[in-house]
């Protein structure tokens, strides 16, 4: 049961960890976008109670029957607005808050799963306790369901790579909201290469990540 549980949920947890970086450790790679955004404008602070990452991972095939899903909370973050538009932002997530929502009614299984995934076998939360996504470029989108393209640098387990999200960005009186598209990320690119025994099924490399944040203007 344990092997089966972990093999099903590993890819899902990677999604939550998709924003993981260590405050103390320098990135192991330098593959990243040049930051073209600035702090020139009005400053907003992340509303951590109303911001989260949603994740979903899959075993063998991408379907609702072979997926696990959950959330991770943000520790901090900031956004800059210039001339009424999003200018820049950086979001830092607390890896220790990572949890599986679909296992919430099974405390024993949930505890085992979360503990294993936070260990050195996977995301090394003790060494890499936080996660980050820094926006490097903001481009208005004129077509499709999203009004903005966000280019940014994603850091997981000390590995930084450029990742682009489509997003809906709203700037209102005193509040900014950013809701990204569900985005597939390849966990192995960030050093998460664990595979369960073959009899338990193949774990998909792709995991799905969605970021939802709100930020309030500094008074």
């Amino acid at each position: 049961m344990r092997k089966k549980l972990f093999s099903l949920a590993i890819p899902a947890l990677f999604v939550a960890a998709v924003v993981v970086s260590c405050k103390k450790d320098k990135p192991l790679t330098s593959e990243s976008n040049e930051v073209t955004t600035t702090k020139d404008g009005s400053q907003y602070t992340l509303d951590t109670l109303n911001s989260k990452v949603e994740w979903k991972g899959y075993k063998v095939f991408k379907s609702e029957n072979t997926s696990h899903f959950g959330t991770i909370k943000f520790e901090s973050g900031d956004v800059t607005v210039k001339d009424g538009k999003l200018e820049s932002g950086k979001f830092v997530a607390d890896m220790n808050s990572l949890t599986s929502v679909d296992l919430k009614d099974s405390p024993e299984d949930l505890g085992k799963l979360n503990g294993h995934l936070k260990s050195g076998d996977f995301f090394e939360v003790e060494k890499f306790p936080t996660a980050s996504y820094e926006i490097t470029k903001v481009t208005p989108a004129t077509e499709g369901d999203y009004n903005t393209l966000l280019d940014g640098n994603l850091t997981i387990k000390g590995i930084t790579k450029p990742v682009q999200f489509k997003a809906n960005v709203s700037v209102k009186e005193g509040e900014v909201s950013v809701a990204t598209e569900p985005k597939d990320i390849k966990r192995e690119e960030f050093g998460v290469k664990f595979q369960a025994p073959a009899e338990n099924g193949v774990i998909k490399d792709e995991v799905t990540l969605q970021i939802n944040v709100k930020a309030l203007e500094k008074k």
Side-chain angles (χ1 to χ4, degrees):
M1 171 65 184
R2 176 169 177 157
K3 288 184 178 179
K4 181 178 180 181
L5 173 63
F6 290 163
S7 66
L8 285 171
I10 297 302
L13 185 53
F14 165 76
V15 182
V18 118
V19 271
V20 177
S21 68
C22 183
K23 295 177 180 178
K24 300 178 182 179
D25 293 80
K26 294 182 179 180
L28 300 177
T29 71
S30 59
E31 182 183 349
S32 59
N33 286 325
E34 179 183 357
V35 179
T36 61
T37 55
T38 71
K39 294 285 188 179
D40 182 17
S42 300
Q43 303 299 308
Y44 291 68
T45 301
L46 198 71
D47 178 1
T48 56
L49 294 179
N50 292 294
S51 301
K52 62 183 178 181
V53 177
E54 296 180 75
W55 53 262
K56 182 176 286 189
Y58 310 89
K59 177 184 175 183
V60 186
F61 300 107
K62 288 181 66 172
S63 74
E64 295 301 317
N65 293 330
T66 61
S67 68
H68 283 259
F69 56 92
T71 61
I72 183 169
K73 298 177 181 178
F74 283 100
E75 174 182 286
S76 62
D78 60 79
V79 169
T80 301
V81 172
K82 183 178 181 180
D83 298 329
K85 298 179 181 179
L86 178 67
E87 166 65 17
S88 65
K90 183 175 182 179
F91 315 122
V92 180
D94 176 12
M95 188 59 183
N96 282 290
S97 71
L98 138 76
T99 190
S100 172
V101 172
D102 61 293
L103 293 177
K104 65 180 181 179
D105 295 328
S106 180
E108 183 177 354
D109 289 341
L110 179 62
K112 290 178 180 179
L113 168 65
N114 288 354
H116 193 201
L117 293 170
K118 292 176 184 179
S119 75
D121 288 344
F122 298 98
F123 301 111
E124 299 181 85
V125 174
E126 184 175 352
K127 184 178 180 181
F128 302 99
T130 63
S132 67
Y133 182 72
E134 181 178 12
I135 298 171
T136 59
K137 183 180 179 182
V138 181
T139 307
T142 58
E143 298 180 353
D145 297 328
Y146 297 90
N147 61 23
T148 306
L149 288 177
L150 299 178
D151 287 280
N153 293 327
L154 179 66
T155 302
I156 302 168
K157 292 187 68 176
I159 299 174
T160 300
K161 290 185 176 292
V163 174
Q164 184 184 78
F165 287 98
K166 295 178 182 178
N168 279 319
V169 178
S170 173
V171 179
K172 297 180 179 179
E173 185 83 28
E175 181 179 304
V176 175
S177 64
V178 179
T180 72
E181 66 170 337
K183 175 85 172 185
D184 282 353
I185 303 294
K186 292 188 176 182
R187 62 186 176 90
E188 292 191 3
E189 291 184 353
F190 293 91
V192 184
K193 299 181 178 181
F194 174 84
Q195 283 292 348
E199 62 267 22
N200 291 332
V202 177
I203 298 172
K204 298 290 289 185
D205 186 22
E206 295 80 10
V207 291
T208 306
L209 170 69
Q210 189 168 18
I211 299 173
N212 292 281
V213 299
K214 288 188 178 181
L216 304 177
E217 189 171 11
K218 293 182 180 179
K219 302 297 183 181

